[in-house]
Amino acid sequence: TRGLKYLSNKVCEALSGVGTAITQDKMISLLYQSFISENNSGQEMCEKSIRRRIYDTINVLMALGLVEKTKQHIEWIGKSRPKLTDTERRQAEEMKQHISEARTRTRQKRKLLEDEELQYVRTKTLLDRNEGIRRHKRSKRRRGEKEEPEPIHLPFLVVRASKLANV
């Protein structure tokens, strides 16, 4: 079966071809006949269903401002866009540039936030490790056993560098 996009294109073609206002019933009948003749698949759709879909398509096109309906007549308005002045075109380009820059800043801030989150997780892991070592040392001291791992004291700096770098 064909969808709303197909029907929208057919309605647009039919209305732009007519050029003048046409009654809604005549338009739906014309589109229905066109739809039936092109849809030669073995599936039979009921006439009521097809007519409903065509009616829905016309309502969508009306909402988009491509079609105008007065009483029972439908008229093609068209897909024309108003022409932009040089000033409006320049403003539109400036807005696009502004949006592009804002997206770039957002990506950079997101990267910084991810780096901060990673640093937080690493610091938290280090603090948890140190706390675990302290508890372990206390329990070993109580039992009189030898203490082993030393905690890593803060501030602790982790540096990532190339293997060729001298640190």
Side-chain angles (χ1 to χ4, degrees):
T1 62
R2 308 227 180 193
L4 193 60
K5 184 176 181 180
Y6 170 80
L7 284 174
S8 296
N9 286 332
K10 285 296 177 187
V11 169
C12 290
E13 288 173 15
L15 284 173
S16 63
V18 170
T20 59
I22 186 171
T23 64
Q24 183 173 340
D25 290 336
K26 186 174 179 182
M27 184 68 199
I28 290 175
S29 294
L30 179 75
L31 289 168
Y32 174 75
Q33 292 303 322
S34 172
F35 185 79
I36 293 299
S37 66
E38 289 182 13
N39 195 11
N40 290 331
S41 64
Q43 298 175 337
E44 285 292 320
M45 291 181 67
C46 74
E47 179 178 351
K48 188 176 181 180
S49 172
I50 293 172
R51 287 182 181 274
R52 179 72 218 167
R53 290 174 76 190
I54 292 170
Y55 181 76
D56 289 344
T57 303
I58 291 171
N59 284 337
V60 168
L61 292 173
M62 283 172 39
L64 293 173
L66 300 175
V67 171
E68 190 174 90
K69 181 179 167 188
T70 54
K71 294 189 182 183
Q72 284 297 313
H73 286 80
I74 301 170
E75 186 176 0
W76 174 251
I77 303 298
K79 298 179 185 178
S80 63
R81 288 185 178 168
K83 299 246 181 201
L84 297 177
T85 64
D86 289 338
T87 304
E88 291 170 330
R89 197 173 298 114
R90 198 170 39 256
Q91 287 174 340
E93 287 301 319
E94 288 173 4
M95 288 295 265
K96 286 179 185 177
Q97 181 66 30
H98 179 70
I99 290 169
S100 175
E101 291 169 359
R103 285 184 177 147
T104 300
R105 286 192 308 271
T106 301
R107 278 192 298 275
Q108 290 170 342
K109 288 179 181 180
R110 189 172 287 130
K111 176 71 173 117
L112 285 172
L113 180 60
E114 288 170 1
D115 291 346
E116 290 291 325
E117 286 175 331
L118 185 59
Q119 185 65 34
Y120 171 78
V121 168
R122 288 177 178 162
T123 303
K124 178 80 170 112
T125 302
L126 181 62
L127 292 171
D128 291 346
R129 176 190 177 273
N130 286 350
E131 183 59 33
I133 290 172
R134 282 189 202 100
R135 274 188 259 125
H136 184 70
K137 283 173 104 176
R138 277 186 234 124
S139 69
K140 279 193 164 198
R141 255 189 249 136
R142 281 187 220 128
R143 291 185 304 232
E145 297 175 11
K146 182 182 175 190
E147 298 175 12
E148 287 187 10
E150 283 294 316
I152 299 172
H153 298 284
L154 294 178
F156 178 76
L157 181 64
V158 176
V159 178
R160 185 184 337 168
S162 165
K163 290 180 180 181
L164 304 174
N166 290 328
V167 181

